[in-house]
Amino acid sequence: MGALQLHVFYLILLLTISSQVISKQGEWKSATATYTKQADASIITEGACGYGDLYKASYGKYSAGLSTMLFNKGSTCGACFEVRCVDHILWCLQGSPSVILTATDFCPPNYGLSSDYGGWCNFPKEHFEMSEAAFVEIAEKRAEIVPVQYKRVKCERRGGMRFSMSGSAHFFQVLITNVGLDGEVVGVKVKGSKTGWMPMARNWGQNWHSNINLVGQPLSFEVTASTGRTVASYSVAPANWQFGQTFEGKQFK
């Protein structure tokens, strides 16, 4: 395959991926929803996506835990969904208003209960365990479970992507938050001043790690979304960065 043919092939592949994502974002699908009672109006502060305090992560009260079918082993963390209550005259708010949610947690299955009563997140159910504050914008608070429709939508974020450092000299880990576009990160690379671009492995949620010692080097990150688009943030962390610090890079547009 010649250089021109190879270029055309990758262009077609990228367009195909993008069209699939657009299609995925434009279609309403059926699911169910419940809510978690939280005093601060958010899902738990230590969820399966690794975001910690959701307000610091910029996701706030509009968050949800996803069933296994939607969670996709953590790949869906950070993705945005538009959700509306439908087909229930008693529980759905008039006009079926919708709310935009960010996937921030995993709703585990409970096979000791029927998927129709209590086991809402059992495979292969598609279910949203919403924050209470978000749930009451689409349904009556006293509802136990409601039928909903959902679709993937573009994530509107303020500022750039955020890179939070953790780990140790021989186990470098970065948590990536505030991701725009489709919000779903499928690949990350890191580059120090003494290295080339190196792929990182997903540890859990949106935590990515590398076993290379990067201490004392300015760091650049390359993030790839599920659309196939890539954004590189060069020297986002200075040479004197420390574990526990967070740095802001570029954003998908």
Side-chain angles (χ1 to χ4, degrees):
M1 184 179 292
L4 179 59
Q5 291 174 307
L6 189 62
H7 176 75
V8 172
F9 171 76
Y10 282 117
L11 180 60
I12 293 173
L13 181 62
L14 180 60
L15 290 173
T16 301
I17 294 173
S18 298
S19 65
Q20 289 175 343
V21 171
I22 292 171
S23 174
K24 178 172 61 176
Q25 290 179 343
E27 298 175 358
W28 287 104
K29 296 182 179 180
S30 298
T32 52
T34 52
Y35 70 90
T36 297
K37 296 179 181 179
Q38 294 286 331
D40 62 356
S42 70
I43 298 293
I44 57 175
T45 56
E46 292 293 338
C49 290
Y51 294 134
D53 187 320
L54 296 182
Y55 288 94
K56 290 182 179 179
S58 78
Y59 301 140
K61 66 181 182 180
Y62 295 102
S63 54
L66 307 183
S67 62
T68 302
M69 194 74 175
L70 294 171
F71 191 66
N72 195 22
K73 299 180 180 179
S75 175
T76 313
C77 287
C80 295
F81 297 84
E82 183 175 3
V83 178
R84 63 187 183 187
C85 182
V86 295
D87 301 330
H88 203 300
I89 192 170
L90 183 61
W91 300 134
C92 295
L93 297 186
Q94 188 174 5
S96 292
S98 64
V99 65
I100 306 297
L101 304 172
T102 298
T104 59
D105 200 6
F106 173 57
C107 181
N110 183 351
Y111 294 114
L113 297 174
S114 165
S115 59
D116 295 324
Y117 190 80
W120 317 127
C121 293
N122 291 352
F123 186 84
K125 296 277 287 186
E126 296 189 355
H127 184 83
F128 293 84
E129 187 178 51
M130 301 170 61
S131 63
E132 181 177 340
F135 185 86
V136 297
E137 291 194 14
I138 66 169
E140 296 289 344
K141 183 177 179 179
R142 62 184 184 275
E144 185 174 25
I145 182 172
V146 295
V148 298
Q149 288 180 334
Y150 74 92
K151 63 180 177 179
R152 285 284 296 274
V153 295
K154 181 180 178 181
C155 296
E156 301 291 344
R157 306 296 186 205
R158 293 183 179 180
M161 285 182 281
R162 298 171 189 168
F163 302 89
S164 300
M165 316 299 195
S166 64
S168 63
H170 298 288
F171 185 81
F172 173 75
Q173 182 168 270
V174 62
L175 170 65
I176 303 175
T177 59
N178 203 47
V179 181
L181 196 61
D182 62 318
E184 185 175 347
V185 176
V186 298
V188 179
K189 293 182 181 179
V190 63
K191 181 183 182 300
S193 57
K194 301 176 183 178
T195 74
W197 286 106
M198 301 179 295
M200 303 185 75
R202 188 191 301 275
N203 190 352
W204 59 285
Q206 286 300 354
N207 284 284
W208 299 75
H209 76 273
S210 171
N211 294 325
I212 305 299
N213 187 352
L214 297 169
V215 174
Q217 301 180 54
L219 300 181
S220 303
F221 294 96
E222 182 183 275
V223 177
T224 301
S226 61
T227 56
R229 292 182 59 185
T230 296
V231 168
S233 298
Y234 292 95
S235 300
V236 66
N240 62 346
W241 64 266
Q242 301 290 321
F243 293 111
Q245 289 183 308
T246 297
F247 301 94
E248 186 172 318
K250 291 185 177 181
Q251 183 60 274
F252 288 103
K253 296 181 180 179

